[in-house]
Amino acid sequence: MASVLSKTFLLSFLLICLVLSPPQTRAVITCDTVFSDLKPCLSYVLVGGNVPTECCNGLKSLITNATTTEDRQMACSCVKNLATAATDEQVDRAASLPGKCGVNVPFKISRDVDCTKVK
């Protein structure tokens, strides 16, 4: 009888732990997502001019969909990788997009941002 009770207690304890433990999150944002959302910004970043409305909509969509820390860190890493192939002027234009679009981006758009610190 004691053995059955201890097994029942253990099983109940494990079930409670499983229910109460926070779910594991995985990044939903991929670099393909980032590229797709920010593709309308490409002409502005490359040559300047006016920021297209579609660019701001894409940036807003990206930030809205980056709901977890992992999503934001992934988005940061993708943008950082794109910045490594850009000129200083292009990086400056890309970095100006959040202000021009009125979007709060949770990381600095630059080549030297530490994406592991993005929360």
Side-chain angles (χ1 to χ4, degrees):
M1 182 75 170
S3 176
V4 171
L5 286 177
S6 63
K7 286 181 183 178
T8 303
F9 174 76
L10 180 61
L11 183 60
S12 298
F13 177 75
L14 291 174
L15 185 59
I16 290 169
C17 289
L18 181 64
V19 169
L20 295 179
S21 68
Q24 296 295 322
T25 58
R26 303 198 97 187
V28 176
I29 302 293
T30 66
C31 286
D32 287 341
T33 307
V34 172
F35 180 74
S36 177
D37 284 345
L38 299 182
K39 188 175 180 181
C41 304
L42 193 56
S43 64
Y44 171 76
V45 171
L46 292 176
V47 295
N50 294 323
V51 178
T53 302
E54 298 82 15
C55 169
C56 292
N57 291 340
L59 184 58
K60 289 174 186 173
S61 174
L62 176 64
I63 298 307
T64 299
N65 291 322
T67 57
T68 66
T69 298
E70 291 80 7
D71 287 335
R72 291 184 287 276
Q73 288 176 347
M74 178 60 76
C76 175
S77 294
C78 297
V79 170
K80 180 179 179 176
N81 286 339
L82 290 171
T84 61
T87 67
D88 289 343
E89 293 81 17
Q90 292 167 343
V91 173
D92 289 344
R93 282 192 288 270
S96 74
L97 286 172
K100 290 181 181 290
C101 293
V103 178
N104 182 25
V105 175
F107 54 86
K108 181 181 174 186
I109 297 175
S110 74
R111 292 182 194 106
D112 59 358
V113 62
D114 182 355
C115 295
T116 63
K117 295 190 177 179
V118 173
K119 301 294 176 201

